[in-house]
Amino acid sequence: MFTTPSVIVFDVNETLSDMGPLADAFTRAGVPASLARLWFTEVLRDGFALTSAGDNPAFADLATDSLSRLLTQASGPGDYQEQVEAIMGVFKNLSLHPDAAPGIKALSRITQLVTLSNGATSVAESLLSRGGVEDEFSRFLSVQDAPRWKPAREAYDYAAREIGQSVDRLLLVAVHPWDIHGANAAGLRTAWINRTGASYPSYFTAPDIEAEDLVALAGKLSGS
């Protein structure tokens, strides 16, 4: 039987934030909307590479550098500082997914909630404040204060230490299979939020729970 976790640990980017508006931001910058997905994927890829090499880069530094180079590749040499600032401004001011606020409120009635992001805590706090659910969280954690990014074990161990719980009492909630796999390897239980009806990659460890959104996850944890 799946017992109630002592703490639910939320990933932030994409799991809570709706990154759809980034496509329009790229279009306004004069490049294809499809580059928004490529940009975010490349930031994660390079962050993981640096983590594997023993570094712990700042997410915003990678994001702005990657964005500048991507715009240059797409449009040719030039000064893209204004476009970079505009896109980063959109990224830092995204809204919650429609299911996030009601799901978070329901989950906070079940157990304690914290965030653990590869980005800055200020971005997570701002996102949740705009969504009216900042007070539902007891802690905002970032890998910037850990030895390495997720999905390295050290990131999840850091979260466990900070909140004073053993890893097996934590439930990691994320839309990213790589995060689910890393958390499982570190000893956490996991919940995969599958809003798109996608197939889970066979090469990653499967989640303990799969739910279509955060409201559905709250229902599964509460037994309703």
Side-chain angles (χ1 to χ4, degrees), residues 1-5 7 167-174 176-177 179-194 200 204-212 216-217 220-221:
M1 180 177 293
F2 193 94
T3 58
T4 302
V7 183
V167 290
D168 64 318
R169 295 297 301 160
L170 309 183
L171 176 70
L172 185 281
V173 175
H176 305 115
D179 206 351
I180 297 295
H181 182 85
N184 178 273
L188 285 74
R189 291 179 291 172
T190 57
W192 183 45
I193 304 303
N194 183 14
Y200 193 84
F204 286 137
T205 303
D208 294 295
I209 302 174
E210 179 178 341
E212 63 188 29
L217 175 63
K220 289 189 175 187
L221 289 181

Side-chain angles (χ1 to χ4, degrees), residues 12 115 120-134 139-141:
V12 177
T115 64
T121 56
S122 59
V123 173
E125 291 182 65
S126 179
L127 169 70
L128 294 163
S129 177
R130 288 192 300 277
V133 289
E134 181 182 12
R139 295 288 301 274
F140 297 94
L141 303 175

Side-chain angles (χ1 to χ4, degrees), residues 6-220:
S6 297
V7 183
I8 295 177
V9 181
F10 283 89
D11 174 54
V12 177
N13 292 329
E14 287 195 290
T15 297
L16 299 179
S17 60
D18 180 0
M19 297 180 69
L22 281 172
D24 289 338
F26 273 73
T27 299
R28 290 193 296 271
V31 294
S34 60
L35 290 184
R37 169 60 60 182
L38 175 62
W39 167 65
F40 186 68
T41 301
E42 287 191 347
V43 172
L44 291 178
R45 179 201 66 192
D46 292 348
F48 296 162
L50 288 166
T51 287
S52 296
D55 299 311
N56 189 359
F59 185 95
D61 291 345
L62 267 66
T64 54
D65 182 84
S66 176
L67 185 52
S68 180
R69 289 183 291 103
L70 190 60
L71 293 175
T72 298
Q73 291 168 12
S75 302
D79 182 359
Y80 296 101
Q81 182 176 351
E82 183 177 335
Q83 290 92 329
V84 168
E85 291 177 353
I87 292 172
M88 289 301 297
V90 171
F91 178 75
K92 293 177 181 179
N93 289 279
L94 295 170
S95 299
L96 292 169
H97 284 288
D99 64 280
I104 286 167
K105 290 177 181 178
L107 289 165
S108 71
R109 292 192 288 270
I110 298 172
T111 192
Q112 179 184 351
L113 311 182
V114 304
T115 64
L116 177 63
S117 178
N118 279 346
T121 56
S122 59
V123 173
E125 291 182 65
S126 179
L127 169 70
L128 294 163
S129 177
R130 288 192 300 277
V133 289
E134 181 182 12
D135 291 343
E136 306 294 339
F137 290 81
S138 61
R139 295 288 301 274
F140 297 94
L141 303 175
S142 169
V143 299
Q144 290 183 352
D145 300 312
R148 296 199 289 167
W149 280 30
K150 296 182 297 175
R153 177 184 296 270
E154 293 93 331
Y156 307 102
D157 287 343
Y158 157 76
R161 289 195 304 273
E162 285 294 307
I163 55 184
Q165 294 285 344
S166 60
V167 290
D168 64 318
R169 295 297 301 160
L170 309 183
L171 176 70
L172 185 281
V173 175
V175 298
H176 305 115
W178 55 260
D179 206 351
I180 297 295
H181 182 85
N184 178 273
L188 285 74
R189 291 179 291 172
T190 57
W192 183 45
I193 304 303
N194 183 14
R195 294 187 177 96
T196 64
S199 298
Y200 193 84
S202 62
Y203 43 81
F204 286 137
T205 303
D208 294 295
I209 302 174
E210 179 178 341
E212 63 188 29
D213 58 32
L214 295 183
V215 175
L217 175 63
K220 289 189 175 187

